[in-house]
Amino acid sequence: MRAFLYGVALQWKLDIRSKSLLVTCYIVPLTFFLLMGGIFTSVMPEMKGTLISSMIVMGVSMGAFIGLPPSLIETYGSDIKKVYKANGVPLYLGLVTMVISAFVHLMIMCIIIFLLAPILFEAALPTNLPLFFLALAIYVIVSLSIGSILGLVVKNQAKLTMIAQLVFLPCIMLSGIMFPIELLPKTFEIIGEIFPASWGYKLMIDGGFRLENLWYLLLVFVAAIIVCGILLKKQKSK
């Protein structure tokens, strides 16, 4: 346990120095929040009730799908993997420490949005804070599990950037955080429900923490854990 905690702390320090993680987990999401928060609430005043959830979904999706995978490529696509094997360190340890570190960074970013939104844009706070943060933690973990698959499957940085964008953009545009999902054609609405963002958004809004909004996220998480386990076993055999 002591070695594990040391690994997590070390990964935290490495991530703080990572320009990629700094941009995707802090700079871009918070800049988007500061610029678009006022626009959204001015054009659609009713969005003050869901602004916090909307901005958080965008920030978490960016950090998980675009920020985490490059860190995984740096570890499992380089000689660092050989160092793990040579020293008898389980390959899953790198993945677990990176996911935990990314989770903490994303939660910090979300808390910043949570604290600033009511002050800057008169956004309404969730009525049930414990359920809101539980829903937030679930969505962050599920998103990171999908980002982990991207980082383990794709070996080329250029391809990863393209694929991550192909996951991130529809996830945001079709989730209902930018505009009411009812405005989309039925086909796009169905496609949007494939991505976890729409479910995470529903789960975080007031009164949304229900099994009907939770089951899909749990299903995706379990499937992602299984896939990551298979991918790590393949990594071990190489």
Side-chain angles (χ1 to χ4, degrees), residues 201-217:
Y201 174 67
K202 294 175 186 176
L203 198 67
M204 279 187 280
I205 60 177
D206 286 337
F209 198 95
R210 300 191 299 270
L211 182 60
E212 62 189 75
N213 296 327
L214 181 60
W215 71 269
Y216 185 78
L217 293 174

Side-chain angles (χ1 to χ4, degrees), residues 167-179 181 184 188 192 197:
V167 175
F168 171 73
L169 290 176
C171 187
I172 297 305
M173 298 303 296
L174 304 180
S175 63
I177 68 168
M178 307 288 285
F179 39 78
I181 194 71
L184 293 173
F188 286 169

Side-chain angles (χ1 to χ4, degrees), residues 24 31 34 53 62 74 84-85 88 93 100 116 125 127 130 166-167 170 195 207 222 232:
T24 55
T31 300
L34 293 173
S53 300
M62 172 165 281
E74 290 176 5
Y84 274 45
K85 290 183 178 180
L93 184 64
I100 292 176
L116 290 181
L125 289 173
T127 55
L166 290 176
V167 175
F195 300 94
V222 172
L232 287 173

Side-chain angles (χ1 to χ4, degrees), residues 129-231:
L129 293 182
L131 282 183
F132 172 80
F133 281 104
L134 177 58
L136 170 58
I138 291 172
Y139 177 63
V140 173
I141 292 171
V142 173
S143 297
L144 288 173
S145 68
I146 297 174
S148 299
I149 294 176
L150 293 177
L152 292 173
V153 169
V154 186
K155 307 299 181 185
N156 182 277
Q157 185 67 52
K159 288 183 180 178
L160 176 62
T161 301
M162 180 180 66
I163 293 173
Q165 290 287 353
L166 290 176
V167 175
F168 171 73
L169 290 176
C171 187
I172 297 305
M173 298 303 296
L174 304 180
S175 63
I177 68 168
M178 307 288 285
F179 39 78
I181 194 71
E182 295 79 13
L183 298 179
L184 293 173
K186 190 62 179 179
T187 303
F188 286 169
E189 186 177 342
I190 294 173
I191 294 174
E193 291 185 350
I194 297 174
F195 300 94
S198 61
W199 298 90
Y201 174 67
K202 294 175 186 176
L203 198 67
M204 279 187 280
I205 60 177
D206 286 337
F209 198 95
R210 300 191 299 270
L211 182 60
E212 62 189 75
N213 296 327
L214 181 60
W215 71 269
Y216 185 78
L217 293 174
L218 296 178
L219 178 65
V220 170
F221 177 69
V222 172
I225 292 297
I226 295 172
V227 172
C228 285
I230 295 172
L231 293 172

Side-chain angles (χ1 to χ4, degrees), residues 20-186:
S20 173
L21 204 69
L22 178 65
V23 170
T24 55
C25 288
Y26 291 103
I27 295 178
V28 173
L30 293 177
T31 300
F32 181 85
F33 161 67
L34 293 173
L35 291 177
M36 300 303 295
I39 296 175
F40 285 154
T41 52
S42 296
V43 176
M44 297 178 285
E46 67 277 7
M47 197 171 180
K48 291 181 180 180
T50 59
L51 181 66
I52 293 176
S53 300
S54 299
M55 295 296 103
I56 281 177
V57 166
M58 184 273 172
V60 170
S61 299
M62 172 165 281
F65 302 150
I66 300 178
L68 175 63
S71 299
L72 292 172
I73 284 184
E74 290 176 5
T75 298
Y76 293 99
S78 67
D79 292 336
I80 298 178
K81 182 176 70 173
K82 297 179 182 178
V83 175
Y84 274 45
K85 290 183 178 180
N87 290 277
V89 178
L91 283 181
Y92 69 80
L93 184 64
L95 174 62
V96 172
T97 55
M98 279 184 269
V99 167
I100 292 176
S101 177
F103 177 86
V104 175
H105 281 292
L106 289 175
M107 289 300 290
I108 291 174
M109 179 269 295
C110 293
I111 291 173
I112 292 173
I113 292 176
F114 178 84
L115 294 175
L116 290 181
I119 299 173
L120 298 178
F121 309 117
E122 299 180 352
L125 289 173
T127 55
N128 192 322
L129 293 182
L131 282 183
F132 172 80
F133 281 104
L134 177 58
L136 170 58
I138 291 172
Y139 177 63
V140 173
I141 292 171
V142 173
S143 297
L144 288 173
S145 68
I146 297 174
S148 299
I149 294 176
L150 293 177
L152 292 173
V153 169
V154 186
K155 307 299 181 185
N156 182 277
Q157 185 67 52
K159 288 183 180 178
L160 176 62
T161 301
M162 180 180 66
I163 293 173
Q165 290 287 353
L166 290 176
V167 175
F168 171 73
L169 290 176
C171 187
I172 297 305
M173 298 303 296
L174 304 180
S175 63
I177 68 168
M178 307 288 285
F179 39 78
I181 194 71
E182 295 79 13
L183 298 179
L184 293 173
K186 190 62 179 179

